[in-house]
Amino acid sequence: PTSLYAMGPTLVFSACMISADGQSAGTELHWTDGGNVKEFELFGGHDSSYPDSFLAFKDRLVLAATSEFAGRELWTLTWGASGAKPDAELLKDILPPEVITFPLAGRKGR
């Protein structure tokens, strides 16, 4: 696990996901409240989103992540009342995906 971030009683971090067949499914978002660890593949597919640079803002988690369609950008995540799967929303498309972007302290570009 990397990029550990405490958001209230929840610990958010990046870690490698393992698929059902035991293969690496990329570096994605994980969180726990001290019980079970939950994982969330931000964008699906085979590529990693490399989430990092976490920051709590109001009721959201702001982070840098890489997607195939937007490149490296700032995203927000919000959790519903159930606390299950978060909703991801592009905060702002700063640069076209052809341009390598490094929002906050992001390490991976496209």
Side-chain angles (χ1 to χ4, degrees):
T2 61
S3 301
L4 301 171
Y5 185 79
M7 185 174 157
T10 303
L11 180 65
V12 179
F13 56 96
S14 294
C16 185
M17 290 178 66
I18 304 299
S19 65
D21 62 0
Q23 300 296 312
S24 171
T27 302
E28 299 295 344
L29 180 77
H30 292 69
W31 72 95
T32 183
D33 59 3
N36 294 330
V37 174
K38 298 178 183 178
E39 53 189 41
F40 177 55
E41 190 171 9
L42 288 164
F43 309 113
H46 300 290
D47 294 332
S48 297
S49 64
Y50 300 105
D52 65 7
S53 304
F54 303 122
L55 175 70
F57 181 71
K58 297 186 180 181
D59 61 344
R60 300 174 181 204
L61 179 67
V62 179
L63 63 135
T66 303
S67 72
E68 186 176 323
F69 63 89
R72 186 91 180 146
E73 297 289 353
L74 292 175
W75 293 82
T76 62
L77 295 180
T78 54
W79 278 265
S82 69
K85 183 178 164 183
D87 293 318
E89 181 180 347
L90 181 63
L91 184 65
K92 171 93 173 132
D93 192 358
I94 299 169
L95 292 172
E98 307 82 50
V99 179
I100 296 175
T101 61
F102 297 94
L104 298 178
R107 296 181 303 276
K108 301 289 181 185
R110 180 162 183 240

